[in-house]
Amino acid sequence: MQKAKLDILIIDDNNLFIERMTGMIRSIENISIINIANDYEEARFLLENESPDLVLLDINLPGKNGLEILRTIKESGYSCEVIMLSNHADAYYRQECKNLGAKYFLDKSNDFGMVPGIIRDFQLVKSA
């Protein structure tokens, strides 16, 4: 079974994190596009115009935060899955993100390396 090609959107304002994450993602087969947004407005534009399959989203962003973006994704009916990646890994944020529809919530400090496996699993599910 061939894995689905994925369009991925990374929403984060930390350039070092973005560089590390894009490097990891580029090593995965069948990734067609990786778009980057640094704030709410860029994220909203890319969500509307690029229709990503998967969004990697941080909570702490300039302007409106990642929870607002997650709420927008849910309320607008975008068909993407969301992986939250944040240093705010306490129970409140985990539960809030789950309530807003995030598929995964990962601690940036400890769970960073799990992302490629999650993406590969998502490709298999999407291909089925």
Side-chain angles (χ1 to χ4, degrees):
M1 176 186 310
Q2 182 160 350
K3 294 178 182 177
K5 286 195 175 255
L6 295 181
D7 294 342
I8 296 177
L9 171 58
I10 300 173
I11 306 171
D12 201 298
D13 64 333
N14 181 321
N15 289 329
L16 181 58
F17 172 80
I18 291 168
E19 287 176 25
R20 286 182 64 206
M21 186 55 63
T22 54
M24 288 174 71
I25 293 171
R26 284 193 178 108
S27 70
I28 301 169
E29 293 180 20
N30 296 316
I31 301 298
S32 56
I33 296 173
I34 302 172
N35 283 304
I36 309 296
N38 298 117
D39 60 31
Y40 179 86
E41 294 304 321
E42 289 177 352
R44 185 70 190 247
F45 176 83
L46 290 169
L47 284 164
E48 290 175 8
N49 294 291
E50 298 295 329
S51 302
D53 300 299
L54 189 62
V55 175
L56 305 173
L57 176 58
D58 187 17
I59 291 174
N60 191 23
L61 297 167
K64 294 184 178 183
N65 66 32
L67 295 176
E68 290 298 320
I69 294 170
L70 189 55
R71 187 172 287 110
T72 296
I73 289 170
K74 182 178 181 180
E75 291 173 355
S76 298
Y78 294 115
S79 62
C80 55
E81 292 287 351
V82 178
I83 300 172
M84 296 300 295
L85 284 152
S86 182
N87 288 320
H88 300 287
D90 59 58
Y92 167 78
Y93 284 112
R94 287 181 186 276
Q95 188 60 48
E96 187 67 17
C97 291
K98 182 179 178 182
N99 293 343
L100 291 171
K103 181 83 171 175
Y104 296 94
F105 187 103
L106 304 176
D107 182 332
K108 270 187 177 178
S109 301
N110 300 317
D111 303 330
F112 189 86
M114 296 172 63
V115 173
I118 291 171
I119 292 172
R120 286 184 194 100
D121 290 347
F122 181 73
Q123 286 174 319
L124 291 172
V125 170
K126 189 167 173 70
S127 297

